Amino acid sequence: MTTPVRVRFAPSPTGHLHIGGVRTALFNWLFARHHGGQFVLRIEDTDASRSTEESIDEILASMKWLGLDWDEGPFRQTERQSIYKEKVDQLLREDKAYPCFCTAEELDRKRKEAQSKGLKPKYDGTCRNRSDKPEGVPFVTRFKAPLEGAVTIHDLLRGNVVFQNEELDDLIILRSDGTPTYNFVVVVDDGGMGITHVIRGDDHLSNTPRQALLYDGLGMPRPKFAHISMILGADKTRLSKRHGATSVLAYRDMGYLPDALINYLARLGWSHGNQEIFTRQEMIQNFSLENVTTSAAVFNPEKLKWLNQQYIQNAAPLDLACQLEPFLIKEGILSENHGLSAEKIAKPIPSLNQRAETLVEMAPKSTFYFKEKLEFDEKARDKFLNADIKPHIEKLIVAINEMDNLEHDSMEKLFKQVAEEAKLKLGKLAQPVRVALTGGTASPGIYDVVLLLGKTTTLKRLTESVDFIEKRG
RNA sequence: GUCCCCAUCGUCUAGCCUGGCCCAGGACACCGGCCUUUCACGCCGGCGACGCGGGUUCGAAUCCCGCUGGGGACGCCA
């Protein structure tokens, strides 16, 4: 019998949940779901000075928005202090840890000195064999790491990675204020929580030997490790604010669909043949660490945009309507208490969804449909609504007025007939009508616009444009 | 500086493990054309890569070594 897979995502709540973090979460989630295992969420808030509640809220909101559901947690390390304390005591008892009285300043000085000499800036072991315990002097607790030998990490993605123990030093596991540090709690937690696979960013690879030693020291079996590559900005440096939006919620606010973001991030480093677009089910079914690359990937906003467009095009109108609604409100196209049904909002979507890459872009394009009063593009109105076109618009008014119900085919027939009689190319008729009905020169197909607006509104707007032409003289 | 990781079109990638099917395939972007009532969508075509140098082999993008380049780590941050 094989042990069930158990993975975790362990962000630190010190800022926004960013793109890189989400991809790590996603790979863990996919791995868990693929294997029918469990996905644990753990908040690494051991740094009291930098962790914030807002950040935790944002992490949870981001995960929910993306649909990355977790099976256990969120656990918070600040609530697990007694567990860490116990483990530190265990190490102390077994002489695998010791107090260190060196001051931060001292350490800092030595580090710089070593570095300037071209040496590895590691702890020199001053307190390692010190037997006296000065009273009232603050101290940290260090893990006593082996001086010789080597640690081999069996990385699922990279194979064996060997680190010489002499490259490592005695890391601090307890700060002078008594709180535990990351490298220690991560081991205690992953071990204690029965995590089977640690899938995390490449930047943790060099921490892994220290952690492996800690597992050994604590008498816990090491989990399997898989270090995925990092996401870089266009300049090939680690993705950061400098590269523009990196927080997940910023993408939500820019009108990206969660499915599109997930799909994009999944394809950053993972592939399944030549397939670009995946449903979640397909991702889960096909996900495998074997198809994850080890080289770093540059984040490409253009491709994300394209994917978002694909998702917008293919989304169910009703579903998209729900996602579009907040943007309509934000843009002032609908009021907060518009009282419209999802069906009503969904109505123009089939004619709009081929024309927008983001929801932010889509919202204003629907103004003509939602707003009672048209906002005209002045230049367009001056150019297209003139005396020449007036009689033809009037002809349309008469004809449409006689129709019982508007249909695409009959509308097309009517427009073509009127254009022909006027010896105009269809576009010469359609464009002024478009301006009259939508206020601008770019819109869905003109017959769709008429159908969307309905008989009453269409006639009203056409009549208003005739009035406008008369007034301008 | 030291250690570790990585290296296919501008970008994401397939192929690499199990050499020949690859004078390297797909996608985004870009360029050109078609479609067309506007804007788009769509369709067709084009541009474009195995970092360099050595080996191994009948044969290397694929295996080995070196170099170069990029990234990461070296905190009482995570």
Side-chain angles (χ1 to χ4, degrees), chain A residues 9 39 59 84 111 120 127-128 131 152 154 158 214 228 253 262 269 286 293 302 316 359 441 444 453 463:
Chain A
F9 175 52
F39 179 53
I59 289 167
Y84 309 130
R111 228 184 335 260
K120 185 112 182 161
C127 298
R128 187 175 166 115
S131 49
T152 300
H154 306 280
R158 296 157 204 268
L214 238 18
I228 61 179
D253 297 343
I262 289 287
N286 297 311
T293 50
E302 290 299 324
L359 295 175
T441 54
L453 293 175
T463 307

PDB file of all heavy atoms in Angstrom, chain A residues 9 39 59 84 111 120 127-128 131 152 154 158 214 228 253 262 269 286 293 302 316 359 441 444 453 463:
ATOM      1  N   PHE A   9       0.689  24.206   0.751  1.00  0.00           N
ATOM      2  CA  PHE A   9       1.127  25.503   0.256  1.00  0.00           C
ATOM      3  C   PHE A   9       1.308  26.334   1.504  1.00  0.00           C
ATOM      4  O   PHE A   9       0.430  26.369   2.358  1.00  0.00           O
ATOM      5  CB  PHE A   9       0.073  26.114  -0.670  1.00  0.00           C
ATOM      6  CG  PHE A   9       0.404  27.508  -1.121  1.00  0.00           C
ATOM      7  CD1 PHE A   9       1.639  27.775  -1.699  1.00  0.00           C
ATOM      8  CD2 PHE A   9      -0.503  28.550  -0.973  1.00  0.00           C
ATOM      9  CE1 PHE A   9       1.971  29.062  -2.106  1.00  0.00           C
ATOM     10  CE2 PHE A   9      -0.180  29.844  -1.385  1.00  0.00           C
ATOM     11  CZ  PHE A   9       1.055  30.093  -1.955  1.00  0.00           C
ATOM     12  N   PHE A  39      -4.476  18.519   0.208  1.00  0.00           N
ATOM     13  CA  PHE A  39      -3.800  19.790   0.010  1.00  0.00           C
ATOM     14  C   PHE A  39      -4.011  20.631   1.268  1.00  0.00           C
ATOM     15  O   PHE A  39      -5.137  20.956   1.626  1.00  0.00           O
ATOM     16  CB  PHE A  39      -4.400  20.468  -1.224  1.00  0.00           C
ATOM     17  CG  PHE A  39      -3.818  21.819  -1.539  1.00  0.00           C
ATOM     18  CD1 PHE A  39      -2.444  22.002  -1.661  1.00  0.00           C
ATOM     19  CD2 PHE A  39      -4.651  22.913  -1.744  1.00  0.00           C
ATOM     20  CE1 PHE A  39      -1.914  23.245  -1.972  1.00  0.00           C
ATOM     21  CE2 PHE A  39      -4.130  24.163  -2.056  1.00  0.00           C
ATOM     22  CZ  PHE A  39      -2.758  24.329  -2.177  1.00  0.00           C
ATOM     23  N   ILE A  59      -4.614  36.449   1.069  1.00  0.00           N
ATOM     24  CA  ILE A  59      -4.216  35.126   0.599  1.00  0.00           C
ATOM     25  C   ILE A  59      -5.444  34.222   0.468  1.00  0.00           C
ATOM     26  O   ILE A  59      -5.647  33.573  -0.565  1.00  0.00           O
ATOM     27  CB  ILE A  59      -3.192  34.482   1.567  1.00  0.00           C
ATOM     28  CG1 ILE A  59      -1.845  35.209   1.446  1.00  0.00           C
ATOM     29  CG2 ILE A  59      -3.025  32.993   1.269  1.00  0.00           C
ATOM     30  CD1 ILE A  59      -0.863  34.866   2.549  1.00  0.00           C
ATOM     31  N   TYR A  84       6.765  23.763  18.650  1.00  0.00           N
ATOM     32  CA  TYR A  84       8.145  24.095  18.304  1.00  0.00           C
ATOM     33  C   TYR A  84       9.038  24.051  19.546  1.00  0.00           C
ATOM     34  O   TYR A  84      10.159  23.563  19.508  1.00  0.00           O
ATOM     35  CB  TYR A  84       8.217  25.478  17.642  1.00  0.00           C
ATOM     36  CG  TYR A  84       7.244  25.644  16.501  1.00  0.00           C
ATOM     37  CD1 TYR A  84       6.404  26.742  16.418  1.00  0.00           C
ATOM     38  CD2 TYR A  84       7.155  24.668  15.505  1.00  0.00           C
ATOM     39  CE1 TYR A  84       5.501  26.886  15.376  1.00  0.00           C
ATOM     40  CE2 TYR A  84       6.256  24.798  14.458  1.00  0.00           C
ATOM     41  CZ  TYR A  84       5.425  25.899  14.405  1.00  0.00           C
ATOM     42  OH  TYR A  84       4.528  26.033  13.385  1.00  0.00           O
ATOM     43  N   ARG A 111      30.452  38.281   9.078  1.00  0.00           N
ATOM     44  CA  ARG A 111      29.939  37.883   7.768  1.00  0.00           C
ATOM     45  C   ARG A 111      30.563  38.724   6.668  1.00  0.00           C
ATOM     46  O   ARG A 111      31.031  38.223   5.661  1.00  0.00           O
ATOM     47  CB  ARG A 111      28.412  38.050   7.750  1.00  0.00           C
ATOM     48  CG  ARG A 111      27.694  36.846   7.196  1.00  0.00           C
ATOM     49  CD  ARG A 111      26.209  37.011   7.068  1.00  0.00           C
ATOM     50  NE  ARG A 111      25.581  37.965   7.925  1.00  0.00           N
ATOM     51  CZ  ARG A 111      24.926  37.665   9.053  1.00  0.00           C
ATOM     52  NH1 ARG A 111      24.825  36.414   9.457  1.00  0.00           N
ATOM     53  NH2 ARG A 111      24.356  38.612   9.760  1.00  0.00           N
ATOM     54  N   LYS A 120      33.019  31.835   2.327  1.00  0.00           N
ATOM     55  CA  LYS A 120      31.590  31.658   2.554  1.00  0.00           C
ATOM     56  C   LYS A 120      31.244  32.355   3.874  1.00  0.00           C
ATOM     57  O   LYS A 120      31.860  32.076   4.905  1.00  0.00           O
ATOM     58  CB  LYS A 120      31.291  30.168   2.657  1.00  0.00           C
ATOM     59  CG  LYS A 120      29.813  29.868   2.767  1.00  0.00           C
ATOM     60  CD  LYS A 120      29.308  29.184   1.527  1.00  0.00           C
ATOM     61  CE  LYS A 120      27.826  28.934   1.620  1.00  0.00           C
ATOM     62  NZ  LYS A 120      27.230  28.690   0.318  1.00  0.00           N
ATOM     63  N   CYS A 127      30.263  29.713  19.688  1.00  0.00           N
ATOM     64  CA  CYS A 127      29.557  29.236  20.876  1.00  0.00           C
ATOM     65  C   CYS A 127      29.261  27.737  20.855  1.00  0.00           C
ATOM     66  O   CYS A 127      28.625  27.207  21.759  1.00  0.00           O
ATOM     67  CB  CYS A 127      28.248  30.003  21.063  1.00  0.00           C
ATOM     68  SG  CYS A 127      28.491  31.766  21.337  1.00  0.00           S
ATOM     69  N   ARG A 128      29.693  27.091  19.819  1.00  0.00           N
ATOM     70  CA  ARG A 128      29.348  25.685  19.647  1.00  0.00           C
ATOM     71  C   ARG A 128      29.827  24.823  20.815  1.00  0.00           C
ATOM     72  O   ARG A 128      29.121  23.944  21.288  1.00  0.00           O
ATOM     73  CB  ARG A 128      29.930  25.167  18.336  1.00  0.00           C
ATOM     74  CG  ARG A 128      29.489  23.747  17.980  1.00  0.00           C
ATOM     75  CD  ARG A 128      30.018  23.367  16.588  1.00  0.00           C
ATOM     76  NE  ARG A 128      29.901  21.933  16.365  1.00  0.00           N
ATOM     77  CZ  ARG A 128      29.124  21.372  15.444  1.00  0.00           C
ATOM     78  NH1 ARG A 128      28.389  22.123  14.655  1.00  0.00           N
ATOM     79  NH2 ARG A 128      29.099  20.061  15.304  1.00  0.00           N
ATOM     80  N   SER A 131      30.988  26.313  27.194  1.00  0.00           N
ATOM     81  CA  SER A 131      30.292  25.624  28.278  1.00  0.00           C
ATOM     82  C   SER A 131      29.685  26.601  29.284  1.00  0.00           C
ATOM     83  O   SER A 131      28.720  26.275  29.968  1.00  0.00           O
ATOM     84  CB  SER A 131      31.259  24.681  29.001  1.00  0.00           C
ATOM     85  OG  SER A 131      32.442  25.390  29.296  1.00  0.00           O
ATOM     86  N   THR A 152      22.730  14.557   0.514  1.00  0.00           N
ATOM     87  CA  THR A 152      22.226  14.389  -0.847  1.00  0.00           C
ATOM     88  C   THR A 152      20.715  14.558  -0.830  1.00  0.00           C
ATOM     89  O   THR A 152      20.017  13.891  -0.079  1.00  0.00           O
ATOM     90  CB  THR A 152      22.582  12.992  -1.393  1.00  0.00           C
ATOM     91  OG1 THR A 152      23.998  12.859  -1.388  1.00  0.00           O
ATOM     92  CG2 THR A 152      22.051  12.838  -2.821  1.00  0.00           C
ATOM     93  N   HIS A 154      17.362  14.153  -2.898  1.00  0.00           N
ATOM     94  CA  HIS A 154      16.815  13.498  -4.089  1.00  0.00           C
ATOM     95  C   HIS A 154      15.662  14.342  -4.583  1.00  0.00           C
ATOM     96  O   HIS A 154      14.530  14.181  -4.150  1.00  0.00           O
ATOM     97  CB  HIS A 154      16.321  12.088  -3.751  1.00  0.00           C
ATOM     98  CG  HIS A 154      17.377  11.260  -3.086  1.00  0.00           C
ATOM     99  ND1 HIS A 154      18.381  10.646  -3.800  1.00  0.00           N
ATOM    100  CD2 HIS A 154      17.606  10.973  -1.782  1.00  0.00           C
ATOM    101  CE1 HIS A 154      19.171  10.002  -2.952  1.00  0.00           C
ATOM    102  NE2 HIS A 154      18.724  10.186  -1.730  1.00  0.00           N
ATOM    103  N   ARG A 158      15.109  17.290 -10.340  1.00  0.00           N
ATOM    104  CA  ARG A 158      16.499  17.514 -10.732  1.00  0.00           C
ATOM    105  C   ARG A 158      17.434  16.360 -10.439  1.00  0.00           C
ATOM    106  O   ARG A 158      18.634  16.443 -10.705  1.00  0.00           O
ATOM    107  CB  ARG A 158      17.030  18.767 -10.021  1.00  0.00           C
ATOM    108  CG  ARG A 158      16.289  20.002 -10.444  1.00  0.00           C
ATOM    109  CD  ARG A 158      16.398  21.099  -9.399  1.00  0.00           C
ATOM    110  NE  ARG A 158      15.283  22.020  -9.508  1.00  0.00           N
ATOM    111  CZ  ARG A 158      15.302  23.124 -10.241  1.00  0.00           C
ATOM    112  NH1 ARG A 158      16.376  23.479 -10.875  1.00  0.00           N
ATOM    113  NH2 ARG A 158      14.230  23.890 -10.324  1.00  0.00           N
ATOM    114  N   LEU A 214      18.008  18.794   9.659  1.00  0.00           N
ATOM    115  CA  LEU A 214      17.076  18.988  10.759  1.00  0.00           C
ATOM    116  C   LEU A 214      16.109  17.799  10.876  1.00  0.00           C
ATOM    117  O   LEU A 214      15.797  17.338  11.975  1.00  0.00           O
ATOM    118  CB  LEU A 214      16.292  20.286  10.521  1.00  0.00           C
ATOM    119  CG  LEU A 214      16.287  21.448  11.517  1.00  0.00           C
ATOM    120  CD1 LEU A 214      17.415  21.418  12.527  1.00  0.00           C
ATOM    121  CD2 LEU A 214      16.267  22.770  10.761  1.00  0.00           C
ATOM    122  N   ILE A 228      10.471  23.575  -8.117  1.00  0.00           N
ATOM    123  CA  ILE A 228      10.088  24.089  -9.421  1.00  0.00           C
ATOM    124  C   ILE A 228      10.806  25.407  -9.669  1.00  0.00           C
ATOM    125  O   ILE A 228      11.222  26.087  -8.729  1.00  0.00           O
ATOM    126  CB  ILE A 228       8.559  24.272  -9.521  1.00  0.00           C
ATOM    127  CG1 ILE A 228       8.046  25.272  -8.486  1.00  0.00           C
ATOM    128  CG2 ILE A 228       7.864  22.924  -9.313  1.00  0.00           C
ATOM    129  CD1 ILE A 228       6.540  25.512  -8.570  1.00  0.00           C
ATOM    130  N   ASP A 253      -8.821  42.393 -10.712  1.00  0.00           N
ATOM    131  CA  ASP A 253      -9.319  43.742 -10.925  1.00  0.00           C
ATOM    132  C   ASP A 253      -9.085  44.248 -12.345  1.00  0.00           C
ATOM    133  O   ASP A 253      -9.747  45.158 -12.801  1.00  0.00           O
ATOM    134  CB  ASP A 253      -8.681  44.703  -9.917  1.00  0.00           C
ATOM    135  CG  ASP A 253      -9.078  44.333  -8.480  1.00  0.00           C
ATOM    136  OD1 ASP A 253     -10.059  43.576  -8.327  1.00  0.00           O
ATOM    137  OD2 ASP A 253      -8.402  44.791  -7.543  1.00  0.00           O
ATOM    138  N   ILE A 262      -5.220  30.639 -14.131  1.00  0.00           N
ATOM    139  CA  ILE A 262      -4.799  29.298 -13.735  1.00  0.00           C
ATOM    140  C   ILE A 262      -4.203  28.550 -14.921  1.00  0.00           C
ATOM    141  O   ILE A 262      -3.121  27.969 -14.835  1.00  0.00           O
ATOM    142  CB  ILE A 262      -6.022  28.505 -13.181  1.00  0.00           C
ATOM    143  CG1 ILE A 262      -6.434  29.048 -11.820  1.00  0.00           C
ATOM    144  CG2 ILE A 262      -5.731  27.014 -13.117  1.00  0.00           C
ATOM    145  CD1 ILE A 262      -5.490  28.690 -10.693  1.00  0.00           C
ATOM    146  N   GLY A 269       5.882  26.229 -17.242  1.00  0.00           N
ATOM    147  CA  GLY A 269       6.675  25.200 -16.587  1.00  0.00           C
ATOM    148  C   GLY A 269       6.123  23.803 -16.750  1.00  0.00           C
ATOM    149  O   GLY A 269       6.856  22.832 -16.690  1.00  0.00           O
ATOM    150  N   ASN A 286      -4.049  15.196 -16.313  1.00  0.00           N
ATOM    151  CA  ASN A 286      -2.768  15.071 -17.011  1.00  0.00           C
ATOM    152  C   ASN A 286      -1.557  15.557 -16.228  1.00  0.00           C
ATOM    153  O   ASN A 286      -0.432  15.385 -16.671  1.00  0.00           O
ATOM    154  CB  ASN A 286      -2.835  15.821 -18.343  1.00  0.00           C
ATOM    155  CG  ASN A 286      -3.870  15.231 -19.268  1.00  0.00           C
ATOM    156  OD1 ASN A 286      -3.908  14.027 -19.479  1.00  0.00           O
ATOM    157  ND2 ASN A 286      -4.745  16.066 -19.792  1.00  0.00           N
ATOM    158  N   THR A 293       9.130  21.490 -16.328  1.00  0.00           N
ATOM    159  CA  THR A 293      10.503  21.847 -16.683  1.00  0.00           C
ATOM    160  C   THR A 293      11.256  22.438 -15.497  1.00  0.00           C
ATOM    161  O   THR A 293      10.649  22.945 -14.562  1.00  0.00           O
ATOM    162  CB  THR A 293      10.579  22.904 -17.803  1.00  0.00           C
ATOM    163  OG1 THR A 293       9.726  23.988 -17.454  1.00  0.00           O
ATOM    164  CG2 THR A 293      10.198  22.312 -19.124  1.00  0.00           C
ATOM    165  N   GLU A 302       1.298  39.153 -22.501  1.00  0.00           N
ATOM    166  CA  GLU A 302       0.598  39.069 -23.785  1.00  0.00           C
ATOM    167  C   GLU A 302      -0.120  37.737 -23.953  1.00  0.00           C
ATOM    168  O   GLU A 302      -1.234  37.662 -24.440  1.00  0.00           O
ATOM    169  CB  GLU A 302       1.589  39.253 -24.941  1.00  0.00           C
ATOM    170  CG  GLU A 302       2.136  40.656 -25.063  1.00  0.00           C
ATOM    171  CD  GLU A 302       1.035  41.677 -25.313  1.00  0.00           C
ATOM    172  OE1 GLU A 302       0.078  41.340 -26.035  1.00  0.00           O
ATOM    173  OE2 GLU A 302       1.115  42.788 -24.755  1.00  0.00           O
ATOM    174  N   ALA A 316     -19.735  30.480 -20.799  1.00  0.00           N
ATOM    175  CA  ALA A 316     -21.199  30.503 -20.888  1.00  0.00           C
ATOM    176  C   ALA A 316     -21.652  31.914 -20.558  1.00  0.00           C
ATOM    177  O   ALA A 316     -21.210  32.483 -19.559  1.00  0.00           O
ATOM    178  CB  ALA A 316     -21.788  29.503 -19.906  1.00  0.00           C
ATOM    179  N   LEU A 359     -12.398  41.745 -18.985  1.00  0.00           N
ATOM    180  CA  LEU A 359     -13.713  42.226 -18.579  1.00  0.00           C
ATOM    181  C   LEU A 359     -13.729  43.748 -18.485  1.00  0.00           C
ATOM    182  O   LEU A 359     -14.738  44.389 -18.739  1.00  0.00           O
ATOM    183  CB  LEU A 359     -14.107  41.607 -17.232  1.00  0.00           C
ATOM    184  CG  LEU A 359     -14.317  40.084 -17.245  1.00  0.00           C
ATOM    185  CD1 LEU A 359     -14.589  39.572 -15.839  1.00  0.00           C
ATOM    186  CD2 LEU A 359     -15.449  39.693 -18.183  1.00  0.00           C
ATOM    187  N   THR A 441     -18.490  54.324 -33.422  1.00  0.00           N
ATOM    188  CA  THR A 441     -18.267  53.666 -34.706  1.00  0.00           C
ATOM    189  C   THR A 441     -17.872  52.213 -34.596  1.00  0.00           C
ATOM    190  O   THR A 441     -17.729  51.517 -35.586  1.00  0.00           O
ATOM    191  CB  THR A 441     -17.154  54.398 -35.487  1.00  0.00           C
ATOM    192  OG1 THR A 441     -15.992  54.470 -34.651  1.00  0.00           O
ATOM    193  CG2 THR A 441     -17.587  55.793 -35.872  1.00  0.00           C
ATOM    194  N   PRO A 444     -20.923  45.694 -31.997  1.00  0.00           N
ATOM    195  CA  PRO A 444     -21.255  44.401 -32.596  1.00  0.00           C
ATOM    196  C   PRO A 444     -21.919  44.628 -33.948  1.00  0.00           C
ATOM    197  O   PRO A 444     -22.221  45.768 -34.317  1.00  0.00           O
ATOM    198  CB  PRO A 444     -22.248  43.800 -31.596  1.00  0.00           C
ATOM    199  CG  PRO A 444     -21.907  44.430 -30.300  1.00  0.00           C
ATOM    200  CD  PRO A 444     -21.469  45.820 -30.647  1.00  0.00           C
ATOM    201  N   LEU A 453     -31.284  45.919 -28.801  1.00  0.00           N
ATOM    202  CA  LEU A 453     -31.985  47.095 -28.285  1.00  0.00           C
ATOM    203  C   LEU A 453     -33.494  46.907 -28.323  1.00  0.00           C
ATOM    204  O   LEU A 453     -34.226  47.461 -27.510  1.00  0.00           O
ATOM    205  CB  LEU A 453     -31.585  48.337 -29.101  1.00  0.00           C
ATOM    206  CG  LEU A 453     -30.130  48.776 -28.957  1.00  0.00           C
ATOM    207  CD1 LEU A 453     -29.832  49.936 -29.905  1.00  0.00           C
ATOM    208  CD2 LEU A 453     -29.818  49.181 -27.524  1.00  0.00           C
ATOM    209  N   THR A 463     -35.023  57.953 -34.302  1.00  0.00           N
ATOM    210  CA  THR A 463     -35.783  59.197 -34.373  1.00  0.00           C
ATOM    211  C   THR A 463     -34.983  60.353 -33.788  1.00  0.00           C
ATOM    212  O   THR A 463     -34.950  61.453 -34.342  1.00  0.00           O
ATOM    213  CB  THR A 463     -37.111  59.046 -33.586  1.00  0.00           C
ATOM    214  OG1 THR A 463     -37.784  57.878 -34.075  1.00  0.00           O
ATOM    215  CG2 THR A 463     -37.996  60.262 -33.782  1.00  0.00           C
TER     216      THR A 463
END
